[in-house]
Amino acid sequence: MESITVYDIAREANVSVATVSRVLNDTAPVRTSTRLKIMAIIEKHKFQPNALARSLVNKKTGMIGVLFPDSTNMFFPEVFGGAERAAQKLGYTLFLCNTFSNCSRESEYLNSLCERQVEGLIFMGGRINAQHCPDALVQEVVDIQKKIPIVLINGSLPGHPCYRVKTDEYLGTQLIMQHLIDRGHRSIGFLGGTAETTTTLEKLQAYKRTLSANNLSYRKEWVRLGDFSMSCGSTLMQQLLTLPNRPTAVICINDYVAIGAMKAAISQGMHIPEDIAVAGFDDTQLASAMNPELTTVSQHSEQLGRQAVSILSQLIQKEKVKKLTVLEPKLIVRQSTQ
Amino acid sequence: MESITVYDIAREANVSVATVSRVLNDTAPVRTSTRLKIMAIIEKHKFQPNALARSLVNKKTGMIGVLFPDSTNMFFPEVFGGAERAAQKLGYTLFLCNTFSNCSRESEYLNSLCERQVEGLIFMGGRINAQHCPDALVQEVVDIQKKIPIVLINGSLPGHPCYRVKTDEYLGTQLIMQHLIDRGHRSIGFLGGTAETTTTLEKLQAYKRTLSANNLSYRKEWVRLGDFSMSCGSTLMQQLLTLPNRPTAVICINDYVAIGAMKAAISQGMHIPEDIAVAGFDDTQLASAMNPELTTVSQHSEQLGRQAVSILSQLIQKEKVKKLTVLEPKLIVRQSTQ
């Protein structure tokens, strides 16, 4: 296929490049006979208007950048799936960037996405969940926000107003704690999550307060942090099972940690929930596939993604949007706790 | 942050736009004093060169498009993870497009990626795995291939030469069949996959031939196709368990179908592998998290992604590359079959 440019079309039609551009971008009226002549040449050469060149003219790229912490934890692809469906309806293309929650990768991608003139950004994970985020990293996002609308999912930039969509993870943790307490559990552990992450701290606070509100004692040795992986869940459960005095139930930072924890308990011959009840968080599609099926909290992952795109699109259209959108979590009771 | 352009810099430095462009893109020598003057202005205004404009000049966008069938089957994010790590090392940015294996979405994205002048494309799923792919859809990819290098992962365009990376799924199926036969199984079923997909047909052929080579009978009622999901695996296993004469082992099209199948068997009070052995395919991170742990075949998902990017980068550099790269699958024996 030959490659032809607006210059070639202008030459062949004997008009200026500006006229061809007006026809392509529909930015100003062009005499019908001229328009038809140009259209015929475009058709003849199967000319594909160059989106890059067109972006420079009308300043619209139709692109939204998505910073994404981890494509192997199903929760995030589920959020992304929701975002994608919404974006497609609105005519945007999502540009997904896997940051592995690494701050320098985030900076690289932020830079690269701004250079490519995305019309908006969705930010998940990494610095927006860091308990002590260095000022320079916060400032980087704040500066970009002055030029391009940004929506944060389940995170924040302390001290700076920004547009956010989140599930109430504090409430979600309360729901699951209350469920376990209602089932008669008096000794409940907490597994997983990194100590520097706001999500972990929020859930931990809800855990402690619910214990206290129910006159249940908080025991340091029953709270074991680590990360967000299955292997972490296994390791932490193994540690817990060596204690002379162990809890009868554990809540986990997410479904992955819960799956690892269940596996470790089962491999030591324990029965779930009879010997120890286990609960997850997120309600990824894995939760219901487990044996036993996992009790968990739905964050409405798809809806988080859809909402983020919808808010971003309103911001791009310069509409007024409220800063914070909170989704209510939902307790999903399955076999692992009853 | 003020937004300034190459025109502003040229005016302030009292040089032509072409000179500024030469400094930015390092395309031709510029007198040192002029270069330093321009650099100082760039620095002063914190000018961010516009990647779109730069792309138009040097014809390089640094972008690779990835057509991706399903971000909720962990196999694909694992392939993508490998591709991403390789791309980052080579200085490319991946542009991920979720097609849900829908051919019209594929066409939309192909069009949109070409307009954005990606330097190469990686194609997974959808039409490149269709048994009877309409000519127009094949031709669309063939036409693009004339302009932009494309690498297909685990697929092909029948009748047209193209660059491909694949795992030998035929051999993988033979390995898992032989393992079951070696463990004494004489009646083996096959679950999952859509009938129109080349992956399914390739595995099915390996299944039939291995049965025949071992003088084992092929029974139509033990082969149940559907799709690639956990819920499909559950449904098919339930059907299998109602047969008066059922197999002692099943191989599944992927880990997801196997997980669903195990779950259905367990919920009917069966023990795995004592009552029925179950094997998966792909060795996603879920396989080892299951209870019992799942025997499966590793496709070296990360390596598939890495190889695809490496081949694409060689093609972009106009290097000579062999058309087909085949990775050898690896049998991973775990508890679900022994």
Side-chain angles (χ1 to χ4, degrees):
Chain A
M1 199 179 280
E2 63 187 322
S3 181
I4 91 158
T5 69
V6 280
Y7 299 97
D8 302 316
I9 295 173
R11 199 177 310 118
E12 190 166 337
N14 202 19
V15 300
S16 70
V17 170
T19 306
V20 178
S21 167
R22 274 181 220 119
V23 171
L24 284 173
N25 296 295
D26 209 19
T27 42
V30 172
R31 212 190 316 163
T32 307
S33 61
T34 310
R35 175 182 295 272
L36 289 176
K37 185 160 71 172
I38 292 170
M39 299 291 274
I41 295 168
I42 287 172
E43 181 56 31
K44 185 176 91 184
H45 293 288
K46 299 201 183 306
F47 171 68
Q48 187 169 57
N50 180 329
L52 293 180
R54 212 167 45 196
S55 306
L56 284 173
V57 174
N58 66 18
K59 298 253 177 204
K60 280 190 185 152
T61 59
M63 282 162 65
I64 290 175
V66 182
L67 295 186
F68 195 82
D70 179 8
S71 61
T72 61
N73 174 344
M74 210 82 111
F75 170 67
F76 298 107
E78 286 174 15
V79 174
F80 182 66
E84 258 228 327
R85 272 177 277 271
Q88 218 205 359
K89 273 190 200 148
L90 295 165
Y92 291 102
T93 306
L94 298 186
F95 192 148
L96 185 123
C97 304
N98 228 329
T99 64
F100 301 97
S101 279
N102 173 311
C103 287
S104 39
R105 275 185 81 112
E106 286 174 0
S107 295
E108 277 174 43
Y109 274 127
L110 283 171
N111 192 41
S112 157
L113 289 165
C114 290
E115 276 207 355
R116 296 209 160 77
Q117 308 203 324
V118 290
E119 293 193 56
L121 282 168
I122 293 175
F123 204 135
M124 267 188 280
R127 73 185 69 176
I128 70 166
N129 295 126
Q131 192 196 0
H132 302 293
C133 183
D135 286 346
L137 296 182
V138 172
Q139 196 55 45
E140 187 178 37
V141 182
V142 171
D143 284 344
I144 292 171
Q145 207 174 232
K146 289 176 192 157
K147 299 180 291 181
I148 302 171
I150 302 183
V151 175
L152 314 183
I153 297 183
N154 280 358
S156 66
L157 290 176
H160 295 273
C162 40
Y163 293 92
R164 300 156 60 202
V165 184
K166 61 168 282 181
T167 313
D168 188 339
E169 295 175 283
Y170 189 96
L171 175 59
T173 307
Q174 281 182 317
L175 290 175
I176 210 145
M177 285 294 289
Q178 202 53 57
H179 161 69
L180 291 171
I181 291 167
D182 292 347
R183 304 269 325 149
H185 291 283
R186 291 290 166 270
S187 48
I188 304 173
F190 183 105
L191 299 185
T194 51
E196 310 75 35
T197 311
T198 50
T199 324
T200 308
L201 299 172
E202 191 172 340
K203 288 176 180 168
L204 206 47
Q205 197 177 43
Y207 163 77
K208 288 182 189 172
R209 291 204 184 145
T210 315
L211 284 178
S212 154
N214 287 273
N215 294 314
L216 300 177
S217 57
Y218 168 79
R219 288 179 170 234
K220 218 176 58 176
E221 71 273 24
W222 288 352
V223 174
R224 293 180 178 262
L225 307 189
D227 60 30
F228 300 90
S229 68
M230 288 192 287
S231 63
C232 169
S234 287
T235 307
L236 298 180
M237 178 59 96
Q238 278 159 19
Q239 293 171 3
L240 209 59
L241 294 181
T242 62
L243 296 178
N245 209 332
R246 64 188 183 215
T248 60
V250 289
I251 66 168
C252 301
I253 198 79
N254 66 12
D255 289 348
Y256 282 78
V257 169
I259 289 168
M262 288 211 290
K263 192 164 171 281
I266 290 167
S267 75
Q268 301 216 7
M270 299 183 79
H271 292 93
I272 294 171
E274 297 81 357
D275 298 323
I276 190 161
V278 177
F281 210 101
D282 292 348
D283 195 30
T284 55
Q285 50 162 291
L286 300 178
S288 56
M290 287 297 125
N291 164 44
E293 294 184 3
L294 184 64
T295 291
T296 186
V297 173
S298 168
Q299 289 214 52
H300 311 288
S301 47
E302 286 225 1
Q303 206 184 326
L304 276 174
R306 275 205 308 276
Q307 285 279 358
V309 167
S310 150
I311 290 166
L312 205 48
S313 131
Q314 289 169 272
L315 291 172
I316 292 169
Q317 316 294 325
K318 314 255 185 238
E319 290 170 21
K320 216 173 150 58
V321 188
K322 63 177 178 181
K323 290 277 180 190
L324 179 62
T325 303
V326 181
L327 305 185
E328 202 169 302
K330 190 173 172 222
L331 176 68
I332 313 279
V333 177
R334 297 203 182 95
Q335 299 161 338
S336 69
T337 58
Q338 71 168 11
Chain B
M1 198 178 281
E2 63 186 323
S3 181
I4 89 158
T5 69
V6 281
Y7 298 96
D8 303 316
I9 295 172
R11 197 176 312 118
E12 188 165 341
N14 200 21
V15 299
S16 71
V17 169
T19 305
V20 177
S21 167
R22 274 181 220 120
V23 171
L24 285 173
N25 297 294
D26 209 20
T27 42
V30 171
R31 212 190 317 162
T32 308
S33 60
T34 310
R35 174 182 298 272
L36 288 175
K37 184 162 68 172
I38 292 171
M39 298 293 274
I41 295 168
I42 287 173
E43 182 56 38
K44 186 177 90 184
H45 293 287
K46 299 205 184 306
F47 171 69
Q48 188 170 57
N50 180 328
L52 293 180
R54 209 167 48 197
S55 305
L56 284 174
V57 174
N58 66 19
K59 297 252 175 203
K60 280 190 187 155
T61 59
M63 282 162 66
I64 290 175
V66 182
L67 295 186
F68 196 82
D70 178 10
S71 60
T72 59
N73 175 343
M74 210 82 114
F75 171 66
F76 298 107
E78 286 174 17
V79 174
F80 183 67
E84 257 228 329
R85 272 177 277 271
Q88 218 205 359
K89 273 191 200 146
L90 295 164
Y92 290 102
T93 306
L94 297 186
F95 192 150
L96 185 121
C97 306
N98 228 330
T99 64
F100 302 96
S101 278
N102 173 313
C103 288
S104 39
R105 274 185 81 112
E106 287 175 0
S107 295
E108 276 174 42
Y109 274 127
L110 282 171
N111 191 41
S112 158
L113 289 166
C114 290
E115 276 208 354
R116 295 207 161 78
Q117 308 203 326
V118 290
E119 292 194 56
L121 282 168
I122 293 175
F123 205 136
M124 267 188 279
R127 73 184 69 175
I128 71 166
N129 294 127
Q131 193 196 0
H132 302 293
C133 183
D135 286 346
L137 297 181
V138 171
Q139 195 57 45
E140 185 178 37
V141 182
V142 170
D143 284 344
I144 292 171
Q145 206 175 233
K146 289 176 192 156
K147 299 181 290 180
I148 302 171
I150 303 182
V151 175
L152 314 183
I153 296 183
N154 281 358
S156 65
L157 291 175
H160 295 274
C162 41
Y163 292 92
R164 300 156 60 202
V165 185
K166 61 168 281 178
T167 314
D168 189 339
E169 294 174 284
Y170 189 97
L171 175 58
T173 308
Q174 281 182 317
L175 290 174
I176 209 143
M177 285 294 289
Q178 202 54 55
H179 161 69
L180 291 170
I181 292 166
D182 292 349
R183 304 267 327 148
H185 292 282
R186 291 290 167 269
S187 47
I188 303 172
F190 182 107
L191 299 185
T194 51
E196 310 75 34
T197 311
T198 50
T199 326
T200 308
L201 299 172
E202 191 171 340
K203 288 177 180 167
L204 205 48
Q205 196 177 44
Y207 163 78
K208 287 180 188 174
R209 291 204 184 145
T210 315
L211 284 178
S212 155
N214 287 273
N215 294 315
L216 299 177
S217 56
Y218 167 81
R219 288 179 171 233
K220 219 176 57 177
E221 71 273 23
W222 289 352
V223 175
R224 293 180 179 262
L225 307 188
D227 60 30
F228 300 90
S229 68
M230 289 192 288
S231 62
C232 169
S234 287
T235 308
L236 298 179
M237 179 58 97
Q238 277 158 19
Q239 293 172 2
L240 209 60
L241 295 181
T242 62
L243 296 178
N245 209 334
R246 64 189 186 214
T248 60
V250 289
I251 65 169
C252 300
I253 199 79
N254 66 12
D255 289 349
Y256 282 77
V257 168
I259 289 167
M262 288 210 291
K263 191 165 171 279
I266 290 168
S267 74
Q268 302 218 4
M270 299 183 78
H271 292 92
I272 294 172
E274 297 81 355
D275 297 322
I276 190 162
V278 177
F281 210 100
D282 292 347
D283 195 31
T284 54
Q285 49 161 293
L286 301 177
S288 56
M290 287 297 127
N291 164 44
E293 293 184 5
L294 184 63
T295 292
T296 185
V297 172
S298 167
Q299 288 213 53
H300 310 289
S301 47
E302 286 225 1
Q303 206 183 327
L304 276 174
R306 275 206 308 278
Q307 285 279 356
V309 168
S310 149
I311 290 167
L312 206 47
S313 132
Q314 290 169 271
L315 291 172
I316 292 168
Q317 317 292 326
K318 314 257 185 234
E319 290 172 21
K320 215 173 151 54
V321 188
K322 63 177 177 180
K323 290 277 179 188
L324 179 63
T325 304
V326 181
L327 305 185
E328 203 169 301
K330 191 173 172 220
L331 176 68
I332 313 280
V333 177
R334 298 201 182 95
Q335 299 162 337
S336 69
T337 60
Q338 70 168 10

Short mmCIF file of all heavy atoms in Angstrom, two decimals, chain A residues 187-226:
data_model
loop_
_atom_site.label_atom_id
_atom_site.label_comp_id
_atom_site.label_asym_id
_atom_site.label_seq_id
_atom_site.Cartn_x
_atom_site.Cartn_y
_atom_site.Cartn_z
N SER A 187 -11.94 -14.42 68.61
CA SER A 187 -10.51 -14.21 68.38
C SER A 187 -10.29 -14.21 66.87
O SER A 187 -10.46 -15.22 66.19
CB SER A 187 -9.69 -15.32 69.06
OG SER A 187 -10.24 -16.58 68.75
N ILE A 188 -9.97 -13.03 66.37
CA ILE A 188 -9.90 -12.83 64.91
C ILE A 188 -8.55 -12.21 64.55
O ILE A 188 -8.12 -11.23 65.16
CB ILE A 188 -11.04 -11.88 64.45
CG1 ILE A 188 -12.40 -12.46 64.88
CG2 ILE A 188 -11.00 -11.70 62.93
CD1 ILE A 188 -13.58 -11.53 64.64
N GLY A 189 -7.88 -12.80 63.58
CA GLY A 189 -6.58 -12.28 63.12
C GLY A 189 -6.72 -11.44 61.86
O GLY A 189 -7.79 -11.37 61.25
N PHE A 190 -5.62 -10.81 61.49
CA PHE A 190 -5.58 -9.94 60.31
C PHE A 190 -4.32 -10.28 59.52
O PHE A 190 -3.21 -10.18 60.05
CB PHE A 190 -5.53 -8.47 60.78
CG PHE A 190 -5.55 -7.44 59.67
CD1 PHE A 190 -6.70 -6.70 59.40
CD2 PHE A 190 -4.42 -7.19 58.89
CE1 PHE A 190 -6.72 -5.75 58.39
CE2 PHE A 190 -4.44 -6.24 57.88
CZ PHE A 190 -5.59 -5.52 57.63
N LEU A 191 -4.46 -10.66 58.24
CA LEU A 191 -3.30 -11.11 57.46
C LEU A 191 -3.09 -10.30 56.18
O LEU A 191 -4.02 -10.08 55.41
CB LEU A 191 -3.45 -12.58 57.06
CG LEU A 191 -3.55 -13.64 58.16
CD1 LEU A 191 -3.55 -15.03 57.53
CD2 LEU A 191 -2.40 -13.52 59.16
N GLY A 192 -1.83 -9.91 55.95
CA GLY A 192 -1.43 -9.36 54.65
C GLY A 192 -1.44 -7.85 54.56
O GLY A 192 -1.90 -7.15 55.47
N GLY A 193 -0.92 -7.36 53.41
CA GLY A 193 -0.83 -5.92 53.18
C GLY A 193 0.52 -5.38 53.63
O GLY A 193 1.12 -5.91 54.55
N THR A 194 0.98 -4.33 52.95
CA THR A 194 2.24 -3.71 53.39
C THR A 194 1.92 -2.57 54.34
O THR A 194 0.93 -1.86 54.18
CB THR A 194 3.02 -3.14 52.18
OG1 THR A 194 2.14 -2.32 51.42
CG2 THR A 194 3.54 -4.24 51.29
N ALA A 195 2.80 -2.37 55.30
CA ALA A 195 2.56 -1.40 56.37
C ALA A 195 2.53 0.03 55.85
O ALA A 195 1.93 0.91 56.47
CB ALA A 195 3.62 -1.54 57.45
N GLU A 196 3.16 0.30 54.70
CA GLU A 196 3.27 1.68 54.21
C GLU A 196 2.08 2.08 53.33
O GLU A 196 2.06 3.16 52.76
CB GLU A 196 4.56 1.86 53.39
CG GLU A 196 5.84 1.36 54.05
CD GLU A 196 5.95 -0.15 54.03
OE1 GLU A 196 5.50 -0.77 53.04
OE2 GLU A 196 6.45 -0.73 55.01
N THR A 197 1.12 1.16 53.18
CA THR A 197 0.06 1.42 52.23
C THR A 197 -1.20 1.90 52.93
O THR A 197 -1.63 1.29 53.93
CB THR A 197 -0.26 0.12 51.45
OG1 THR A 197 0.97 -0.39 50.98
CG2 THR A 197 -1.18 0.37 50.29
N THR A 198 -1.81 2.95 52.41
CA THR A 198 -2.99 3.52 53.07
C THR A 198 -4.14 2.52 53.14
O THR A 198 -4.87 2.49 54.13
CB THR A 198 -3.45 4.80 52.33
OG1 THR A 198 -3.55 4.51 50.93
CG2 THR A 198 -2.47 5.93 52.54
N THR A 199 -4.30 1.69 52.10
CA THR A 199 -5.35 0.68 52.12
C THR A 199 -5.20 -0.22 53.33
O THR A 199 -6.17 -0.56 54.01
CB THR A 199 -5.24 -0.24 50.87
OG1 THR A 199 -4.81 0.55 49.78
CG2 THR A 199 -6.53 -0.93 50.57
N THR A 200 -3.97 -0.68 53.56
CA THR A 200 -3.71 -1.56 54.69
C THR A 200 -4.07 -0.85 55.99
O THR A 200 -4.75 -1.41 56.86
CB THR A 200 -2.21 -1.95 54.73
OG1 THR A 200 -1.85 -2.46 53.45
CG2 THR A 200 -1.95 -3.00 55.79
N LEU A 201 -3.64 0.41 56.10
CA LEU A 201 -3.85 1.14 57.35
C LEU A 201 -5.34 1.39 57.61
O LEU A 201 -5.80 1.29 58.74
CB LEU A 201 -3.07 2.45 57.32
CG LEU A 201 -1.55 2.24 57.17
CD1 LEU A 201 -0.84 3.56 56.94
CD2 LEU A 201 -0.98 1.51 58.39
N GLU A 202 -6.06 1.67 56.55
CA GLU A 202 -7.50 1.91 56.69
C GLU A 202 -8.22 0.64 57.16
O GLU A 202 -9.05 0.68 58.07
CB GLU A 202 -8.06 2.37 55.33
CG GLU A 202 -9.48 2.90 55.43
CD GLU A 202 -9.95 3.54 54.12
OE1 GLU A 202 -9.10 3.90 53.29
OE2 GLU A 202 -11.17 3.66 53.94
N LYS A 203 -7.86 -0.49 56.53
CA LYS A 203 -8.51 -1.74 56.93
C LYS A 203 -8.10 -2.13 58.35
O LYS A 203 -8.91 -2.63 59.13
CB LYS A 203 -8.13 -2.85 55.94
CG LYS A 203 -8.80 -2.69 54.58
CD LYS A 203 -8.35 -3.75 53.58
CE LYS A 203 -9.04 -3.55 52.23
NZ LYS A 203 -8.44 -4.36 51.17
N LEU A 204 -6.84 -1.89 58.69
CA LEU A 204 -6.33 -2.23 60.01
C LEU A 204 -7.04 -1.41 61.08
O LEU A 204 -7.38 -1.92 62.15
CB LEU A 204 -4.82 -1.94 60.02
CG LEU A 204 -3.94 -2.72 61.00
CD1 LEU A 204 -4.24 -4.20 60.98
CD2 LEU A 204 -2.47 -2.47 60.63
N GLN A 205 -7.29 -0.15 60.77
CA GLN A 205 -7.97 0.71 61.72
C GLN A 205 -9.42 0.23 61.95
O GLN A 205 -9.87 0.14 63.09
CB GLN A 205 -7.99 2.14 61.18
CG GLN A 205 -8.30 3.16 62.25
CD GLN A 205 -8.23 4.57 61.69
OE1 GLN A 205 -8.73 4.83 60.60
NE2 GLN A 205 -7.63 5.48 62.45
N ALA A 206 -10.09 -0.13 60.85
CA ALA A 206 -11.46 -0.64 60.97
C ALA A 206 -11.46 -1.94 61.78
O ALA A 206 -12.36 -2.19 62.60
CB ALA A 206 -12.05 -0.88 59.59
N TYR A 207 -10.45 -2.77 61.57
CA TYR A 207 -10.30 -4.04 62.29
C TYR A 207 -10.18 -3.78 63.80
O TYR A 207 -10.94 -4.33 64.61
CB TYR A 207 -9.07 -4.76 61.74
CG TYR A 207 -8.49 -5.87 62.59
CD1 TYR A 207 -9.10 -7.13 62.63
CD2 TYR A 207 -7.33 -5.67 63.33
CE1 TYR A 207 -8.54 -8.16 63.40
CE2 TYR A 207 -6.77 -6.69 64.09
CZ TYR A 207 -7.37 -7.93 64.12
OH TYR A 207 -6.84 -8.94 64.88
N LYS A 208 -9.26 -2.86 64.15
CA LYS A 208 -9.02 -2.58 65.57
C LYS A 208 -10.26 -1.98 66.24
O LYS A 208 -10.64 -2.37 67.34
CB LYS A 208 -7.85 -1.59 65.72
CG LYS A 208 -6.50 -2.21 65.43
CD LYS A 208 -5.39 -1.16 65.65
CE LYS A 208 -4.05 -1.68 65.15
NZ LYS A 208 -3.01 -0.63 65.17
N ARG A 209 -10.87 -1.02 65.55
CA ARG A 209 -12.02 -0.35 66.15
C ARG A 209 -13.21 -1.28 66.32
O ARG A 209 -13.96 -1.17 67.28
CB ARG A 209 -12.42 0.86 65.30
CG ARG A 209 -11.38 1.96 65.38
CD ARG A 209 -11.97 3.31 65.06
NE ARG A 209 -10.93 4.32 65.05
CZ ARG A 209 -10.90 5.36 64.24
NH1 ARG A 209 -11.87 5.53 63.35
NH2 ARG A 209 -9.92 6.25 64.30
N THR A 210 -13.38 -2.21 65.36
CA THR A 210 -14.51 -3.14 65.49
C THR A 210 -14.26 -4.11 66.64
O THR A 210 -15.19 -4.46 67.38
CB THR A 210 -14.76 -3.90 64.16
OG1 THR A 210 -14.72 -2.97 63.08
CG2 THR A 210 -16.09 -4.62 64.17
N LEU A 211 -13.01 -4.53 66.79
CA LEU A 211 -12.67 -5.38 67.94
C LEU A 211 -13.05 -4.64 69.23
O LEU A 211 -13.77 -5.18 70.08
CB LEU A 211 -11.16 -5.68 67.97
CG LEU A 211 -10.60 -6.71 66.99
CD1 LEU A 211 -9.08 -6.82 67.16
CD2 LEU A 211 -11.25 -8.09 67.18
N SER A 212 -12.56 -3.41 69.32
CA SER A 212 -12.75 -2.63 70.54
C SER A 212 -14.24 -2.36 70.81
O SER A 212 -14.71 -2.50 71.94
CB SER A 212 -11.92 -1.35 70.40
OG SER A 212 -12.45 -0.34 71.16
N ALA A 213 -14.97 -2.03 69.76
CA ALA A 213 -16.41 -1.76 69.91
C ALA A 213 -17.17 -2.98 70.40
O ALA A 213 -18.26 -2.88 70.96
CB ALA A 213 -17.00 -1.27 68.59
N ASN A 214 -16.57 -4.16 70.18
CA ASN A 214 -17.22 -5.39 70.61
C ASN A 214 -16.55 -6.00 71.84
O ASN A 214 -16.75 -7.18 72.14
CB ASN A 214 -17.24 -6.41 69.46
CG ASN A 214 -18.23 -6.03 68.38
OD1 ASN A 214 -19.40 -6.38 68.47
ND2 ASN A 214 -17.78 -5.26 67.38
N ASN A 215 -15.73 -5.18 72.51
CA ASN A 215 -15.01 -5.64 73.71
C ASN A 215 -14.16 -6.87 73.46
O ASN A 215 -14.03 -7.74 74.32
CB ASN A 215 -15.97 -5.92 74.86
CG ASN A 215 -16.64 -4.65 75.32
OD1 ASN A 215 -15.97 -3.62 75.50
ND2 ASN A 215 -17.96 -4.69 75.48
N LEU A 216 -13.59 -6.96 72.26
CA LEU A 216 -12.70 -8.08 71.95
C LEU A 216 -11.27 -7.56 72.01
O LEU A 216 -11.00 -6.41 71.64
CB LEU A 216 -13.02 -8.66 70.58
CG LEU A 216 -14.45 -9.20 70.42
CD1 LEU A 216 -14.67 -9.68 68.99
CD2 LEU A 216 -14.70 -10.34 71.41
N SER A 217 -10.37 -8.42 72.44
CA SER A 217 -9.01 -7.93 72.64
C SER A 217 -8.20 -7.97 71.34
O SER A 217 -8.35 -8.87 70.51
CB SER A 217 -8.30 -8.73 73.72
OG SER A 217 -8.32 -10.09 73.34
N TYR A 218 -7.36 -6.95 71.21
CA TYR A 218 -6.44 -6.87 70.07
C TYR A 218 -5.14 -7.54 70.49
O TYR A 218 -4.57 -7.20 71.51
CB TYR A 218 -6.20 -5.38 69.75
CG TYR A 218 -5.06 -5.14 68.80
CD1 TYR A 218 -5.22 -5.32 67.43
CD2 TYR A 218 -3.80 -4.74 69.27
CE1 TYR A 218 -4.17 -5.10 66.56
CE2 TYR A 218 -2.75 -4.52 68.40
CZ TYR A 218 -2.94 -4.71 67.05
OH TYR A 218 -1.90 -4.50 66.19
N ARG A 219 -4.69 -8.50 69.71
CA ARG A 219 -3.43 -9.16 70.03
C ARG A 219 -2.45 -8.95 68.89
O ARG A 219 -2.72 -9.37 67.76
CB ARG A 219 -3.64 -10.66 70.18
CG ARG A 219 -4.38 -11.04 71.44
CD ARG A 219 -4.53 -12.55 71.42
NE ARG A 219 -5.03 -13.03 72.68
CZ ARG A 219 -4.41 -13.97 73.39
NH1 ARG A 219 -3.28 -14.52 72.95
NH2 ARG A 219 -4.94 -14.39 74.52
N LYS A 220 -1.32 -8.38 69.22
CA LYS A 220 -0.34 -8.04 68.21
C LYS A 220 0.09 -9.25 67.38
O LYS A 220 0.28 -9.15 66.16
CB LYS A 220 0.90 -7.43 68.89
CG LYS A 220 1.52 -6.30 68.11
CD LYS A 220 2.67 -5.69 68.86
CE LYS A 220 3.72 -6.74 69.17
NZ LYS A 220 4.92 -6.18 69.82
N GLU A 221 0.22 -10.42 68.04
CA GLU A 221 0.72 -11.59 67.30
C GLU A 221 -0.29 -12.16 66.31
O GLU A 221 0.04 -13.02 65.50
CB GLU A 221 1.23 -12.67 68.28
CG GLU A 221 0.16 -13.40 69.07
CD GLU A 221 -0.23 -12.67 70.38
OE1 GLU A 221 -0.02 -11.43 70.45
OE2 GLU A 221 -0.73 -13.34 71.29
N TRP A 222 -1.52 -11.68 66.38
CA TRP A 222 -2.53 -12.12 65.42
C TRP A 222 -2.61 -11.21 64.19
O TRP A 222 -3.41 -11.45 63.29
CB TRP A 222 -3.91 -12.19 66.09
CG TRP A 222 -4.03 -13.33 67.06
CD1 TRP A 222 -3.13 -14.35 67.26
CD2 TRP A 222 -5.11 -13.58 67.97
NE1 TRP A 222 -3.58 -15.20 68.24
CE2 TRP A 222 -4.80 -14.75 68.69
CE3 TRP A 222 -6.32 -12.92 68.26
CZ2 TRP A 222 -5.65 -15.28 69.66
CZ3 TRP A 222 -7.16 -13.46 69.22
CH2 TRP A 222 -6.83 -14.63 69.92
N VAL A 223 -1.84 -10.14 64.22
CA VAL A 223 -1.83 -9.22 63.07
C VAL A 223 -0.50 -9.37 62.36
O VAL A 223 0.56 -9.07 62.92
CB VAL A 223 -2.03 -7.76 63.54
CG1 VAL A 223 -1.88 -6.80 62.38
CG2 VAL A 223 -3.40 -7.61 64.20
N ARG A 224 -0.55 -9.87 61.16
CA ARG A 224 0.70 -10.13 60.43
C ARG A 224 0.63 -9.52 59.04
O ARG A 224 -0.15 -9.94 58.20
CB ARG A 224 0.94 -11.64 60.34
CG ARG A 224 1.22 -12.19 61.71
CD ARG A 224 1.49 -13.66 61.77
NE ARG A 224 1.77 -13.98 63.17
CZ ARG A 224 2.98 -14.12 63.67
NH1 ARG A 224 4.04 -14.00 62.90
NH2 ARG A 224 3.16 -14.38 64.96
N LEU A 225 1.46 -8.52 58.84
CA LEU A 225 1.49 -7.86 57.53
C LEU A 225 2.54 -8.50 56.64
O LEU A 225 3.35 -9.31 57.10
CB LEU A 225 1.75 -6.36 57.69
CG LEU A 225 0.82 -5.63 58.66
CD1 LEU A 225 1.04 -4.12 58.57
CD2 LEU A 225 -0.65 -5.94 58.38
N GLY A 226 2.54 -8.18 55.38
CA GLY A 226 3.50 -8.74 54.43
C GLY A 226 3.32 -8.03 53.11
O GLY A 226 3.67 -6.88 52.96
#
